[in-house]
């Protein structure tokens, strides 16, 4: 057996193993999102908050939404800003993958080590 064929067989076995191990995870995640309100990551921290949820319409589930927030440059000292991006994987019509929704919010320190929304605009 040639070395090329041996490596191709190894790569093929690796791909099959990856697909067979990841398929239950994907189906389990979709099921979990379908029976809950979604998954919140860093909930309560407006600078690093993320959320994954199932999108429903009249006919049932039509997609999955993912909101990702990360800190960004601040326009002035004492203000913290965060950019958010909404990604929608839609299988019920419309664009399949939509990443057009983006926004930015700024926050100022408030009592109790909390953040409150600020009227300051983000840097572009």
């Amino acid at each position: 057996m040639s070395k090329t064929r041996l490596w191709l067989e190894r790569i093929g076995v690796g791909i099959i193993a990856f697909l067979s191990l990841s398929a239950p995870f994907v189906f389990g995640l979709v099921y979990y999102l379908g029976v809950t309100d979604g998954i919140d990551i860093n909930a309560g921290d407006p600078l690093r908050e993320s959320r994954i949820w199932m999108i429903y319409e009249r006919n049932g589930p039509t997609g999955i939404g993912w909101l990702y927030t990360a800190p960004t440059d601040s326009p002035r000292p004492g203000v913290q800003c965060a950019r958010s991006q909404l990604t929608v994987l839609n299988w019920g019509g419309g664009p399949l993958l939509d990443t057009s929704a983006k926004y930015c919010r700024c926050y100022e320190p408030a009592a109790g080590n909390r953040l409150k929304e600020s009227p300051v605009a983000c840097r572009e």
Side-chain angles (χ1 to χ4, degrees):
M1 183 180 298
S2 70
K3 287 188 175 189
T4 304
R5 183 174 174 173
L6 181 65
W7 277 106
L8 288 175
E9 286 181 6
R10 289 178 181 171
I11 290 171
V13 168
I15 291 171
I16 290 170
F18 174 76
L19 291 175
S20 64
L21 293 174
S22 63
F25 170 76
V26 170
F27 290 121
L29 177 65
V30 170
Y31 174 77
Y32 182 79
L33 293 175
V35 298
T36 64
D37 288 336
I39 300 171
D40 292 320
I41 303 163
N42 292 333
D45 181 3
L47 299 175
R48 292 174 184 81
E49 193 170 38
S50 293
R51 186 165 194 274
I52 302 170
W53 70 96
M54 184 76 71
I55 299 170
Y56 289 96
E57 289 183 9
R58 250 184 160 163
N59 300 333
T62 60
I64 294 176
W66 177 38
L67 179 68
Y68 173 74
T69 304
T72 188
D73 293 336
S74 172
R76 71 173 201 217
V79 175
Q80 298 174 332
C81 297
R83 289 202 185 280
S84 297
Q85 163 121 23
L86 175 63
T87 303
V88 176
L89 175 63
N90 190 355
W91 59 78
L96 181 62
L97 187 65
D98 184 12
T99 61
S100 62
K102 299 175 186 175
Y103 63 91
C104 186
R105 290 186 179 157
C106 292
Y107 301 91
E108 294 176 347
N113 204 17
R114 310 250 326 146
L115 295 174
K116 68 175 181 173
E117 198 163 343
S118 170
V120 175
C122 292
R123 284 187 187 166
E124 290 299 321

